Amino acid sequence: AQSVTQPDIHITVSEGASLELRCNYSYGATPYLFWYVQSPGQGLQLLLKYFSGDTLVQGIKGFEAEFKRSQSSFNLRKPSVHWSDAAEYFCAASGGSNYKLTFGKGTLLTVNP
Amino acid sequence: EADIYQTPRYLVIGTGKKITLECSQTMGHDKMYWYQQDPGMELHLIHYSYGVNSTEKGDLSSESTVSRIRTEHFPLTLESARPSHTSQYLCASSESSGRYEQYFGPGTRLTVT
């Protein structure tokens, strides 16, 4: 069965520190991969996406993610976190003829001043 | 920038009432989706549509129903609201061209008393 795993439920970092959020997928073939961010009480905003090609993907708000086929991972990174980055982050995958997205359970990011 | 709208944003209603949550998109997307999300929890797909007059149930069983009479409009209806329906409902849409990313509306937070 297709699945997306975000191992960290909650991460706390200090403002200005670097950030890495983990995401692992289990799919029959290489899926299309996405990271979304959700602020409290809001919908989801697409941060970045990977379809093919360069395995390092740049997104909005200074985020990037690296696709590693050998590890079935698509980790999200940011070199210096800002207080406004505090939110819930969801990794998602889709593939084949199925247009549906499979979401991870999310990682809550807290940023300390 | 994606244009997908949901109304109302917040709704508090008594048990037994019929409610309709509205979702509209101006992007001409064929595919639309409804997700249910409890606070701090993962997203669950409850309905989706691949075009006009096409609706399917999602991965999570729901007592709600949907219709798709126009491409841009995908309303969700609860015939008789119950406290167990209290949740956030997120609407999304995506293109038909093979790109899988979904664009989300701001959500409707429903409270049934």
Side-chain angles (χ1 to χ4, degrees):
Chain A
Q2 300 165 339
S3 66
V4 174
T5 302
Q6 294 180 246
D8 304 304
I9 296 173
H10 187 192
I11 284 183
T12 300
V13 299
S14 298
E15 190 168 17
S18 63
L19 171 70
E20 182 170 32
L21 302 182
R22 297 183 291 164
C23 173
N24 295 97
Y25 64 88
S26 175
Y27 262 72
T30 300
Y32 301 130
L33 296 161
F34 310 88
W35 275 100
Y36 286 87
V37 61
Q38 184 180 33
S39 297
Q42 300 298 313
L44 276 68
Q45 182 182 21
L46 181 65
L47 282 176
L48 47 78
K49 58 198 175 191
Y50 173 78
F51 292 138
S52 64
D54 193 346
T55 57
L56 186 62
V57 180
Q58 301 297 320
I60 62 171
K61 305 185 179 187
F63 285 93
E64 66 178 26
E66 185 172 13
F67 169 65
K68 292 186 177 180
R69 184 190 306 273
S70 61
Q71 299 177 18
S72 297
S73 69
F74 188 56
N75 294 349
L76 182 71
R77 301 194 295 246
K78 187 170 185 178
S80 178
V81 171
H82 188 262
W83 64 266
S84 60
D85 293 324
E88 186 89 25
Y89 291 80
F90 291 94
C91 182
S94 183
S97 60
N98 186 344
Y99 289 91
K100 294 189 286 183
L101 289 180
T102 300
F103 283 90
K105 294 188 176 184
T107 298
L108 178 64
L109 175 65
T110 298
V111 181
N112 287 334
Chain B
E1 185 71 24
D3 294 312
I4 181 164
Y5 308 98
Q6 291 186 244
T7 57
R9 290 293 315 278
Y10 304 92
L11 178 61
V12 180
I13 201 162
T15 298
K17 300 292 186 181
K18 178 180 179 178
I19 60 170
T20 296
L21 308 184
E22 302 288 349
C23 176
S24 295
Q25 50 96 4
T26 59
M27 298 168 284
H29 288 171
D30 282 339
K31 296 176 177 56
M32 297 189 73
Y33 314 82
W34 275 104
Y35 293 86
Q36 184 174 342
Q37 182 186 33
D38 291 327
M41 302 295 285
E42 62 195 291
L43 284 81
H44 294 285
L45 180 68
I46 53 175
H47 298 284
Y48 61 99
S49 167
Y50 286 170
V52 171
N53 295 325
S54 153
T55 60
E56 302 286 345
K57 291 191 177 296
D59 304 321
L60 180 69
S61 176
S62 174
E63 295 171 347
S64 59
T65 59
V66 292
S67 63
R68 189 86 183 277
I69 298 173
R70 304 197 316 262
T71 297
E72 64 272 20
H73 195 213
F74 191 40
L76 180 146
T77 299
L78 277 166
E79 291 292 334
S80 180
R82 295 191 288 157
S84 61
H85 296 139
T86 294
S87 189
Q88 171 152 271
Y89 293 84
L90 294 167
C91 181
S93 70
S94 65
E95 297 179 22
S96 298
S97 61
R99 301 173 69 87
Y100 290 78
E101 65 262 44
Q102 294 180 14
Y103 298 94
F104 283 80
T108 294
R109 181 161 298 282
L110 172 65
T111 301
V112 183
T113 60

